[in-house]
Amino acid sequence: VKVREVIHLPRINPLASTVPGIEGIFELRGVPIPAINLCMILGDTRTEPSPEDQIIVTEFAHKRAGFIVQQTNRIRRVPWEKILPPSTDKASSMTGMMLIENNEFLFILDLERIVMNLESLASGRPASVQENTQLPPLMAPRKRGHPTILLVDDSSLILNSVARSLNQEGYGIVLARNGLEGLQRLEESLEGAFVIDAVITDLEMPQMDGLSLLKKIRQSVDFGKIPVYLHTSLSDTGSRETAKLLGANEFFVKNDIGTILRFLNTQLLNDKASA
């Protein structure tokens, strides 16, 4: 649902950018969109766009981007539980893989992560520096009376960024890298090792996606009333309506730390204090 359309290669206006992979800006129905050379991002030796190339136009976190590709093949819709973790290092742009026909593997690119890395490079702050620093799975509250939040996301970059910001603000943090692991953390909390006051989860994750996690939480007798906030870059109304029907309490735009903190400070923190 992050893909809006696929178009033939338009006229691209070059930019005075020193960030590798950004070809320039093109206009689509009056909207300027950055053009990203996917071959260059993935380390392909073929870097110059060709007139026969196409652009995959995406939108997430209220941002649009166009990815220049040699060819588009077909649309596949697959459940997240069939997607395996990528067999690559954390610096890769892969977010998952799955076995398809003829015993071939289909690799899934994290387009959002590519855009975030480019934005970090453009600002002079490489995202890989933050991502290489692993956080402990449990970070105790730094301020008395602050809730502990379960963060669920398959992106180490997002997980580290949000966790550090919330913990510095005083919140306790429990980390999970997919919905299945998040469910395990909730079950572990029943044993008394820690308390989870709220859940912030991504939607698109391998093994168990955010909607499946939300559904299982709401079906649980033990933690069915825990507030669940969706932390997503998806802009489509369909996912949001489905999440509302399943019992989501709020939506946060991906990595909008300021909005997340304002909401938690005025809603979750006040509710815990009054309780």
Side-chain angles (χ1 to χ4, degrees):
V1 294
K2 295 177 182 177
V3 176
R4 289 299 179 218
E5 57 188 304
V6 179
I7 62 175
H8 294 291
L9 190 72
R11 179 177 178 271
I12 297 177
N13 301 300
L15 287 176
S17 173
T18 58
V19 179
I22 299 180
E23 289 290 336
I25 296 286
F26 67 95
E27 185 177 318
L28 183 62
R29 292 185 287 278
V31 178
I33 301 175
I36 299 170
N37 190 325
L38 196 55
C39 282
M40 185 179 293
I41 295 296
L42 299 179
D44 199 305
T45 55
R46 175 187 173 278
T47 58
E48 291 297 325
S50 165
E52 290 76 31
D53 287 346
Q54 297 176 312
I55 286 188
I56 300 175
V57 181
T58 65
E59 182 176 358
F60 40 80
H62 304 308
K63 300 176 184 178
R64 291 190 181 185
F67 292 86
I68 303 173
V69 298
Q70 292 170 279
Q71 182 183 7
T72 55
N73 189 347
R74 56 175 286 192
I75 295 175
R76 292 178 181 265
R77 299 189 183 277
V78 294
W80 278 101
E81 58 265 22
K82 290 188 177 181
I83 298 176
L84 304 172
S87 59
T88 183
D89 57 67
K90 294 178 180 178
S92 167
S93 300
M94 303 294 177
T95 189
M97 62 183 186
M98 66 173 293
L99 188 65
I100 58 176
E101 57 271 9
N102 300 321
N103 288 325
E104 294 182 342
F105 275 99
L106 178 71
F107 293 95
I108 301 172
L109 286 175
D110 191 340
L111 300 181
E112 182 180 1
R113 177 178 176 180
I114 292 174
V115 171
M116 289 184 61
N117 285 339
L118 290 175
E119 289 178 340
S120 297
L121 288 172
S123 64
R125 299 187 305 270
S128 58
V129 174
Q130 293 181 350
E131 191 162 1
N132 289 335
T133 305
Q134 292 298 314
L135 297 178
L138 175 62
M139 304 167 68
R142 298 184 63 180
K143 292 182 181 178
R144 185 176 180 181
H146 275 57
T148 295
I149 299 171
L150 170 63
L151 290 181
V152 189
D153 203 302
D154 61 325
S155 168
S156 298
L157 177 62
I158 294 292
L159 210 58
N160 286 9
S161 173
V162 178
R164 290 180 188 277
S165 298
L166 294 185
N167 192 240
Q168 287 175 0
E169 191 70 13
Y171 292 91
I173 301 297
V174 178
L175 300 180
R177 302 191 181 278
N178 56 61
L180 186 61
E181 192 173 309
L183 199 62
Q184 292 172 350
R185 296 290 178 268
L186 286 165
E187 292 171 349
E188 290 170 4
S189 71
L190 298 177
E191 300 174 359
F194 49 85
V195 176
I196 294 176
D197 298 292
V199 177
I200 298 179
T201 179
D202 186 19
L203 273 181
E204 295 183 301
M205 297 176 290
Q207 294 186 292
M208 182 185 290
D209 63 274
L211 289 180
S212 298
L213 173 61
L214 172 61
K215 186 176 181 179
K216 289 186 178 295
I217 290 175
R218 290 293 174 255
Q219 291 174 342
S220 171
V221 176
D222 297 307
F223 36 77
K225 294 184 179 180
I226 291 179
V228 179
Y229 311 122
L230 296 185
H231 186 222
T232 176
S233 58
L234 300 183
S235 304
D236 68 304
T237 57
S239 297
R240 289 175 176 260
E241 290 300 322
T242 302
K244 285 182 181 178
L245 291 174
L246 290 175
N249 295 87
E250 189 56 73
F251 297 87
F252 300 136
V253 175
K254 255 309 175 55
N255 217 28
D256 186 354
I257 303 297
T259 299
I260 295 173
L261 284 174
R262 284 192 295 271
F263 179 89
L264 294 178
N265 289 340
T266 57
Q267 298 291 329
L268 184 63
L269 188 57
N270 289 341
D271 290 345
K272 186 174 178 64
S274 60

